[in-house]
Amino acid sequence: MPRNPDRRSAPADPSSGARPRRRPQRSPRPGRGRSVSDVPAPEVGLEVELEIGPVAHGGHCVARLDGRVVFVRHTLPGERVRARVTEGGPSFWRADAVEVLQASPDRVEPAWPAAGPDGVGGGELSHVALPAQRRWKTDVLVEQLQRLARIDPEWLAREVTVEGAPGDDERRGLHYRTRIDLVADANGHAGMRKHRSHDVVALKKMPLGTAEVAAFAVAEDVFTRTWTPGAQLTLVSPSDGEPVLLVDGEPWRRGKPDTRPNARRSVSEFVAGPWGTHRYRVAAGGFWQVHREAPSVLTGAVLEAAGATSGELAGATVLDLYSGAGLFTLPLADAVGPEGRVIAVEGDEQASKDARRNAHAAGQVTLEVGTVEQVLAGARGEESTVPDADVVVLDPPRSGAGRAVVDAIAAKNPRRIVYVACDPAALARDVGYLAAHGYALSRVRAFDLFPHTHHLEAVAVLDRKS
């Protein structure tokens, strides 16, 4: 797949984190009556022939029709397709390719046909060869950092590439998710929602799930049983111990609610690497990286970026922000040693409880419960008790850290910031904010931890300018 020679020419999807010229229409909240956004635009359903241009953040490519921008899913740059308009409007349209008239050499038979046009969300790149998927994601990451953070394009071209995770090429990018979320449709059949829709498409399998998840789904009749319409199902296959099924947040076993006093609501995970092995207790419905290799891949990248592998963190003070159940906290505690400090900050109470249990033996770890901004800056006029730091590690949600948190981080005067990002636009925006505080992007590693989707993970290193 050729790189876009002028990435700045590719319009950004307004829902991808860039600044839209106008807000996209939103569906009304239930119970608030009918809104004009309920009425499809007249062009919805229209089929048009399009020449496909560059990739854009959000899992689609950009085309133009009579001067209008069209974001087209299920296609590749350079293709000619027949596309059906799915959303209309005065400034841009969205469309799905329903027939390929001229195919890219990077097009393959979809690895997950159920995620094709009019299908479920979550597999929008399954028609793209794995190497081309990684080039696609590289182009998006580079474009966002260039456009939103003003990073030098020549440096980005040299330094940024998206790496595959161990085992993914052998499995064709399938069977990597240790956690899958499903919802029951109106007939009680388990499935997933369509892209940008509340409609549910029933499924017979979910091929991105690990073999253990697939076997567990069969054992629990997940795809053959009739559930209560609207029921939320979560299947978890941890790295240690038996799988768990949650239905609307409650444990199930053998086709019925598990009412035993010792019914499992948490799972055990272990993460191993050159830094050692750590075990974690995690709420079954809580956050944990879904790719089987992601915890170790990201831990290794973070430790290297922070200077742990070269011994630079011995005796240091490290802030671990959005720390969750402590994935990075434990190896960082080892790296700073008994003379150092790790202050972990997490706003979710359940994750904080898990982290407290996981880090109970590490006396150099302090756990702070609350929003990162309030903990760092001090709440209700009180002075923050968090000290200045040598290094800050942060792993914010998809929306990123934001200006207020960036300001609070910069106030702690770290020499290095290690930013773990799952959204290129949010990362680029925050890199721009940090530049205003004197921090320069020095390294970026990116990982394809969500094959067959447009998502990626990046570990960015920002150093304070001397």
Side-chain angles (χ1 to χ4, degrees), residues 124-407:
E124 62 277 0
L125 298 190
S126 77
H127 64 289
V128 183
L130 273 182
Q133 289 186 33
R134 293 168 191 155
R135 294 197 300 271
W136 176 309
K137 297 175 189 187
T138 299
D139 283 349
V140 169
L141 178 57
V142 165
E143 190 273 337
Q144 295 292 299
L145 287 168
Q146 180 183 338
R147 183 169 57 85
L148 297 179
R150 308 300 183 196
I151 304 299
D152 176 50
E154 293 185 4
W155 183 89
L156 290 168
R158 290 194 310 270
E159 300 294 330
V160 179
T161 187
V162 174
E163 306 171 32
D168 277 354
D169 287 339
E170 292 81 356
R171 300 186 189 96
R172 299 186 302 122
L174 301 172
H175 314 306
Y176 64 86
R177 290 189 67 105
T178 62
R179 287 149 170 80
I180 62 173
D181 293 305
L182 305 167
V183 60
D185 68 8
N187 296 316
H189 300 141
M192 293 175 62
R193 299 191 191 280
K194 292 183 179 181
H195 177 66
R196 296 176 61 83
S197 171
H198 294 295
D199 295 339
V200 178
V201 177
L203 296 173
K204 295 182 179 179
K205 60 181 179 179
M206 203 287 195
L208 302 189
T210 63
E212 294 79 8
V213 166
F216 184 52
V218 171
E220 290 289 338
D221 297 325
V222 167
F223 293 110
T224 54
R225 184 184 304 279
T226 299
W227 304 94
T228 301
Q232 306 284 329
L233 285 67
T234 300
L235 289 84
V236 180
S237 180
S239 54
D240 185 27
E242 296 298 316
V244 173
L245 170 63
L246 301 179
V247 179
D248 291 330
E250 297 298 322
W252 272 54
R253 182 170 178 264
R254 296 175 182 173
K256 60 183 179 181
D258 191 348
T259 58
R260 298 175 301 165
N262 62 342
R264 294 173 59 214
R265 296 175 179 271
S266 63
V267 295
S268 178
E269 301 281 0
F270 70 88
V271 181
W275 57 88
T277 300
H278 296 94
R279 291 188 178 274
Y280 303 82
R281 167 183 162 165
V282 184
F287 175 77
W288 189 255
Q289 290 286 342
V290 299
H291 193 295
R292 65 164 79 222
E293 299 293 342
S296 60
V297 166
L298 292 176
T299 297
V302 166
L303 291 177
E304 180 185 21
T309 54
S310 58
E312 298 174 47
L313 288 189
T317 296
V318 178
L319 303 185
D320 182 14
L321 310 180
Y322 309 94
S323 54
L327 173 61
F328 305 139
T329 307
L330 272 61
L332 286 170
D334 290 345
V336 303
E339 302 303 318
R341 294 187 66 185
V342 176
I343 296 97
V345 183
E346 173 56 50
D348 182 79
E349 290 188 9
Q350 180 59 59
S352 297
K353 289 179 182 178
D354 291 340
R356 196 167 303 280
R357 177 185 291 263
N358 295 330
H360 74 280
Q364 64 270 52
V365 173
T366 301
L367 297 173
E368 299 280 356
V369 182
T371 67
V372 170
E373 179 185 356
Q374 289 180 338
V375 171
L376 293 189
R380 296 181 293 277
E382 299 177 1
E383 187 174 346
S384 172
T385 59
V386 176
D388 284 0
D390 298 295
V391 174
V392 171
V393 174
L394 68 156
D395 184 8
R398 194 169 302 282
S399 56
R403 188 185 295 274
V405 169
V406 165
D407 291 346

